[in-house]
Each structure stands twice: as structure tokens, then as C-alpha cells.
Amino acid sequence: MTNDLASLMRQAQDDDPLVALHATTALRREIERLEAVQVRRARVAGLAWAQIADAIGVSKQAVHKKYGRR
């Protein structure tokens, strides 16, 4: 995965705007996926929504709305 992220980072700086846009979109999706995994791990470890929200830099309500039970 590290090579994939490094490759995407290089592509996001490409001179071709379409290549850069595709890479940036792929990076955003991967970051969102990684954040969801970490939030799930934090909840399983017993951390409160407030602690997770503080780590992410958003309100407790925002993190709960985005990652709470669906």
C-alpha cells in the first residue's frame, strides 16, 4: 500500500491535470478508508466519540454522524 500511496502522490503532482485529478481523487478515497478503519479500531479499543473527534479535529457530533452505527 505504501508504494501505491507514494505513486499516487507523484501522480497528483503530474503536469497533466487529468492525471493529477484522478490521483487526487484516489488519494482522498484511500485516506477516507484509512480514517474509517482507525475510527473503528478506536471504538473497539473503547475510546469515546469525544476522544476520536478531538484526534480528528472535528466535533463529537460530526464524527458520530459520519462513523456512528449505520
Side-chain angles (χ1 to χ4, degrees):
M1 176 173 23
T2 303
N3 289 337
D4 293 338
L5 291 177
S7 174
L8 286 172
M9 286 295 295
R10 282 191 299 279
Q11 290 175 24
Q13 298 171 9
D14 197 280
D15 289 336
D16 182 337
L18 288 178
V19 171
L21 283 169
H22 283 292
T24 301
T25 301
L27 280 166
R28 184 181 317 110
R29 272 188 255 122
E30 184 61 16
I31 293 298
E32 289 289 327
R33 187 192 70 75
L34 289 170
E35 184 175 272
V37 167
Q38 297 308 327
V39 168
R40 189 168 47 251
R41 289 181 65 212
R43 288 298 293 163
V44 168
L47 275 72
W49 285 114
Q51 292 172 292
I52 296 168
D54 186 50
I56 294 174
V58 298
S59 71
K60 180 178 82 167
Q61 291 79 9
V63 76
H64 187 264
K65 181 178 180 181
K66 186 171 183 177
Y67 297 108
R69 297 210 188 256
R70 299 171 188 190

